[in-house]
């Protein structure tokens, strides 16, 4: 608003409004050199009233993280109960990343850790341990992030 | 020297025998030049799969788990592992390397959740797309076919009112 007014300050017919505006931003309005005064004032005001440019978007949403990164849980080959939550109850195979919802690094680590755990004798190889079948579900295999490939 | 974790699963033994077996296993590691940091008992557990004890041929369904944290060289680990595996009182032995450095990574789930057109990996594929002549031809033909399938005019003129 003020910037717009200052742009018109040289035109004589808008004199009154300009004076009013200069009063609003600073209490200097008297004498013959009104135009100069208001010019200074308006320029000073315009510095303050410049639109602020922020370095980042304050409305930016937080980056979503996968379950393991969010909770900060380390995968360990001895923790077979946790590992078996990522294994299918029906086929005993590890769910793919479009079902588990893990990032690339964590999914790779999961597959590696499960292989070690099976080799070291902490986890059954072909099935999920029936003791852990009723454990809480971390994800729903029927509602994947991306459609199943069926390949 | 890297840190290895030796998982030793014994067959069901009496306490005295168990002590003997464990001291034997520890001595094997020490002879191979290992520095044993810690010995842990993980308790009496159900095995995830059935194991058969050597010599007697008994099936083992539940047994004692032990964990040896040992610093040793890689070839020594292999030798120690073979010796421990051939021990008559053990059912299962595995040596797992403990990684010393954790690789730094950033969670890229946000990237995965994006639609394919905005995904970086897809854009890379697009930049370096390699279509051979025949694939291009195939795509062209398909599009042409689809285009030609659209009727340009009615086969029979609509009746006049
Ligand atoms: Zn992650």
């Amino acid at each position: 608003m003020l910037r717009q007014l200052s742009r018109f300050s040289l035109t004589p017919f808008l004199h009154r409004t300009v004076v009013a505006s200069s009063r609003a931003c600073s209490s200097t309005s008297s004498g013959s050199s009104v135009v100069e005064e208001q010019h200074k004032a308006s320029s000073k005001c315009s510095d303050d009233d410049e639109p602020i440019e922020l370095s980042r978007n304050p409305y930016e949403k937080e980056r979503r993280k996968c379950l393991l990164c969010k909770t900060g849980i380390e995968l360990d080959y001895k923790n077979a109960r946790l590992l078996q939550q990522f294994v299918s109850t029906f086929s005993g195979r590890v769910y793919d990343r479009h079902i588990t919802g893990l990032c690339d690094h964590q999914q790779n680590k999961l597959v590696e850790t499960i292989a070690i755990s099976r080799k070291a004798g902490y986890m059954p190889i072909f099935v999920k341990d029936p003791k852990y079948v009723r454990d809480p579900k971390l994800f729903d295999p029927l509602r994947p992030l991306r459609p199943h490939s069926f390949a | 020297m890297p840190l290895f974790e030796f998982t030793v699963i014994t067959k069901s033994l009496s306490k005295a025998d168990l002590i003997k077996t464990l001291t034997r296993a520890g001595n094997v590691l020490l002879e191979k030049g290992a520095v044993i940091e810690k010995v842990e008992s993980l308790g009496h557990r159900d095995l995830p799969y059935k194991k058969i004890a050597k010599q007697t041929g008994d099936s083992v369904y539940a047994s004692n788990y032990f964990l040896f944290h040992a610093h040793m060289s890689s070839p020594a680990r292999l030798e120690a592992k073979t010796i421990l595996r051939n021990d008559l009182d053990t059912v299962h032995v595995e040596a797992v390397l403990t990684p010393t450095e954790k690789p730094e990574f950033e969670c890229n789930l946000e990237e995965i959740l994006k639609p394919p057109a905005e995904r970086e990996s897809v854009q890379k594929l697009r930049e370096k797309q390699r279509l051979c002549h025949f694939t291009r031809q195939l795509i062209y033909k398909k599009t042409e076919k689809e285009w030609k399938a659209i009727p340009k005019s009615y086969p029979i003129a609509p009746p006049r009112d």
Side-chain angles (χ1 to χ4, degrees):
Chain A
M1 182 72 185
L2 274 170
R3 275 176 87 204
Q4 276 184 354
L5 287 174
S6 69
R7 205 178 291 155
F8 291 122
S9 63
L10 293 175
T11 55
F13 51 86
L14 273 170
H15 203 194
R16 273 185 78 93
T17 54
V18 167
V19 168
S21 79
S22 74
R23 253 185 210 146
C25 57
S26 66
S27 58
T28 51
S29 60
S30 58
S32 58
S33 63
V34 178
V35 179
E36 285 175 22
E37 286 262 320
Q38 65 181 237
H39 210 78
K40 277 180 197 170
S42 64
S43 68
K44 197 182 171 188
C45 277
S46 71
D47 279 354
D48 293 340
D49 289 348
E50 282 288 315
I52 304 161
E53 284 192 11
L54 296 172
S55 55
R56 60 176 194 83
N57 183 7
Y59 299 106
E60 200 177 80
K61 280 182 186 172
E62 212 173 297
R63 282 175 70 88
R64 282 168 287 182
K65 283 185 173 181
C66 68
L67 185 78
L68 293 176
C69 289
K70 199 164 52 189
T71 51
I73 293 170
E74 287 272 324
L75 289 172
D76 187 15
Y77 73 96
K78 283 163 283 180
N79 191 355
R81 190 166 189 168
L82 173 68
L83 294 178
Q84 281 179 62
Q85 285 186 302
F86 294 98
V87 164
S88 167
T89 317
F90 303 104
S91 66
R93 295 183 67 186
V94 187
Y95 281 122
D96 210 353
R97 72 187 66 187
H98 71 285
I99 297 172
T100 58
L102 297 179
C103 58
D104 290 345
H105 178 269
Q106 294 283 12
Q107 181 73 20
N108 290 342
K109 205 182 165 195
L110 176 75
V111 172
E112 276 172 27
T113 319
I114 285 178
I116 292 171
S117 183
R118 281 172 172 166
K119 238 193 238 175
Y122 288 91
M123 210 175 129
I125 295 167
F126 292 111
V127 289
K128 181 167 169 173
D129 203 322
K131 276 188 283 181
Y132 303 141
V133 165
R134 290 190 184 279
D135 275 356
K137 303 278 178 288
L138 301 180
F139 42 79
D140 188 1
L142 295 178
R143 298 183 64 194
L145 298 181
R146 288 187 211 161
H148 299 294
S149 72
F150 296 112
Chain B
M1 289 196 288
L3 175 64
F4 290 104
E5 288 181 349
F6 278 79
T7 306
V8 178
I9 304 173
T10 61
K11 67 181 185 184
S12 39
L13 293 169
S14 67
K15 205 169 180 182
D17 285 341
L18 203 59
I19 292 166
K20 267 186 202 169
T21 313
L22 286 178
T23 43
R24 212 189 307 140
N27 283 330
V28 167
L29 292 178
L30 289 176
E31 276 168 21
K32 295 293 168 192
V35 178
I36 298 177
E37 197 179 277
K38 202 164 53 169
V39 183
E40 273 182 277
S41 167
L42 301 184
H44 191 81
R45 293 187 185 187
D46 290 341
L47 292 184
Y49 37 90
K50 183 181 95 170
K51 281 282 182 181
I52 289 168
K54 283 159 229 160
Q55 221 171 33
T56 53
D58 296 333
S59 5
V60 181
Y61 294 101
S63 186
N64 296 301
Y65 277 65
F66 292 98
L67 204 65
F68 289 81
H69 296 255
H71 291 271
M72 61 200 305
S73 64
S74 293
R77 172 195 69 143
L78 284 178
E79 290 167 18
K81 202 171 83 177
T82 43
I83 292 169
L84 287 179
R85 281 196 171 174
N86 287 321
D87 196 312
L88 289 179
D89 289 337
T90 59
V91 161
H92 193 94
V93 174
E94 182 66 39
V96 178
L97 175 71
T98 318
T100 46
E101 289 178 4
K102 284 170 198 164
E104 284 196 10
F105 68 97
E106 216 173 293
C107 193
N108 65 344
L109 184 72
E110 193 66 48
E111 190 72 21
I112 292 169
L113 290 176
K114 277 180 190 171
E118 295 171 18
R119 241 176 274 152
E120 246 177 60
S121 54
V122 175
Q123 275 172 2
K124 263 185 199 170
L125 279 179
R126 274 185 179 171
E127 279 167 15
K128 287 192 175 180
Q129 65 165 334
R130 277 211 232 140
L131 286 183
C132 65
H133 171 73
F134 295 104
T135 321
R136 276 180 203 284
Q137 202 80 353
L138 199 85
I139 292 167
Y140 180 77
K141 291 267 177 193
K142 261 190 188 173
T143 328
E144 197 186 27
K145 211 176 173 185
E146 268 176 31
W147 176 249
K148 281 189 175 169
I150 301 166
K152 300 289 182 300
S153 60
Y154 292 104
I156 301 161
R160 280 184 197 171
D161 294 323

